[in-house]
Amino acid sequence: MFCFFFFKQKTAYEMLRSLVGSEMCIRDSLVGAFHISDILSFFKDWGTDTTDSDAQAVYLMGAVLFSGVIGGCCWAVHEDHLTEEQAAEIPDAGEGSFAQTRAAAESCPVVIQRLWVLQYLNFFAFFTLFMFGTDYFGTYVYGGDASAPSGSDNRTAYNNGIRAGNLAFALQNLVAMCVNMTLPELIPRVGLHGVLYASTATMATCLMILGTVSLSRLAATMLFGILGVSWGTTITLPWYVVSRACADLPNRGAYNGLFNLSQCFPEITISLMAVMLFGVGAGDQALFLIGGVGAMVAFFLVH
């Protein structure tokens, strides 16, 4: 079921980005289209509770919202089909999706190749937070224990930490939405590189603090909120550049799909690393440190 959901999510996001990125101006692209994931995450993170019925209600709400947003975008955004001349310009890679993906990678513009590496590192850092952030709140911030018996003080503390972690993620997405609204005015002042430098530096600093310092509940929540600055730029600016780079190319759908892999592979990497690290007794903070290192590398690769 989760594999099917992941497939649906990534496929829908890729198609929407391809449609919207090629049709809208920078302001609409930054402030409007890519808030889909922010809004859904806001509601999902806000409502998660510890009972099965509450979790199922949140999943149902997310399904309804997701379906409505997808349907609305498909209705509102016009899709222009390739002309015969444009179709003839697409590299002939033979039959098969893998052959087409390889051909797209070989002909991909250099700027997209560089952004692929940068986005991989950005999501590498963020997935340490997304996958283990609520557990961090339950274990480190609230001092609970997920393996404690149900109804015990340690289990109750852990469950309260999970709720607090979800609220912290909701704050993070709210900050990301606010940041996105300022980007159209900020980019002409400091440039794309300036915004990306600030984003990766903020991400590296916050993850390093989360991975090394014992924080109060308020401090941990505030750090999660500050990371919304980085999240807001990560889900918009790279995609804006990719959309502009391949706007006049006939195979832009393949390039968008190829770039989307930069956000899929990090989750696989972090999952495998977590299995190894947890197997030797490491915890959430060790993964945050690794994510912080990834963000530091991204900082130096911005230019």
Side-chain angles (χ1 to χ4, degrees):
M1 183 63 70
F2 276 93
C3 291
F4 176 77
F5 173 77
F6 188 79
F7 171 80
K8 177 266 298 178
Q9 180 190 42
K10 292 301 180 182
T11 302
Y13 283 2
E14 176 193 336
M15 294 300 102
L16 285 175
R17 284 171 175 136
S18 180
L19 281 172
V20 177
S22 61
E23 295 291 339
M24 288 185 165
C25 65
I26 179 174
R27 176 181 294 273
D28 293 330
S29 180
L30 291 178
V31 178
F34 299 121
H35 281 324
I36 296 173
S37 58
D38 281 339
I39 295 172
L40 291 177
S41 296
F42 183 90
F43 283 106
K44 171 180 69 63
D45 293 336
W46 182 275
T48 304
D49 207 336
T50 57
T51 64
D52 292 339
S53 59
D54 289 335
Q56 290 173 342
V58 173
Y59 291 149
L60 178 61
M61 181 177 64
V64 172
L65 286 172
F66 196 91
S67 300
V69 170
I70 297 296
C73 287
C74 291
W75 173 79
V77 179
H78 176 66
E79 179 181 7
D80 292 324
H81 297 284
L82 295 178
T83 64
E84 293 183 0
E85 293 77 11
Q86 290 175 324
E89 296 177 5
I90 298 177
D92 185 10
E95 298 182 357
S97 58
F98 289 106
Q100 294 175 5
T101 302
R102 184 178 68 250
E106 292 173 351
S107 62
C108 186
V110 175
V111 64
I112 298 180
Q113 296 176 10
R114 294 175 178 175
L115 274 172
W116 198 101
V117 177
L118 182 65
Q119 192 74 333
Y120 174 90
L121 292 169
N122 285 335
F123 269 75
F124 176 88
F126 264 114
F127 268 123
T128 63
L129 195 72
F130 295 156
M131 297 174 69
F132 304 103
T134 54
D135 182 74
Y136 165 79
F137 262 86
T139 304
Y140 291 88
V141 179
Y142 277 69
D145 185 358
S147 61
S150 180
S152 64
D153 291 341
N154 285 340
R155 183 62 177 272
T156 300
Y158 181 82
N159 291 341
N160 289 336
I162 294 295
R163 294 190 185 95
N166 285 321
L167 290 176
F169 274 120
L171 174 63
Q172 181 180 113
N173 282 289
L174 180 61
V175 171
M177 294 175 65
C178 295
V179 168
N180 283 346
M181 293 179 184
T182 68
L183 287 178
E185 284 73 31
L186 186 61
I187 291 173
R189 297 175 183 270
V190 301
L192 285 171
H193 285 91
V195 175
L196 289 173
Y197 273 127
S199 172
T200 51
T202 300
M203 180 163 45
T205 301
C206 290
L207 285 174
M208 288 293 183
I209 294 175
L210 288 170
T212 56
V213 180
S214 179
L215 299 173
S216 66
R217 298 175 183 180
L218 178 60
T221 302
M222 294 303 297
L223 273 183
F224 271 55
I226 293 172
L227 279 165
V229 175
S230 302
W231 182 234
T233 57
T234 296
I235 60 174
T236 52
L237 288 188
W239 282 103
Y240 163 69
V241 176
V242 169
S243 297
R244 294 293 294 266
C246 62
D248 298 325
L249 300 178
N251 207 19
R252 59 179 179 266
Y255 298 138
N256 275 275
L258 189 66
F259 188 72
N260 195 50
L261 294 178
S262 67
Q263 301 178 180
C264 301
F265 288 155
E267 186 169 9
I268 300 173
T269 306
I270 293 299
S271 298
L272 295 176
M273 292 182 65
V275 171
M276 293 185 291
L277 288 173
F278 291 163
V280 296
D284 299 333
Q285 287 188 309
L287 283 167
F288 292 163
L289 280 175
I290 293 174
V293 172
M296 289 179 61
V297 176
F299 175 85
F300 290 107
L301 292 181
V302 166
H303 186 68

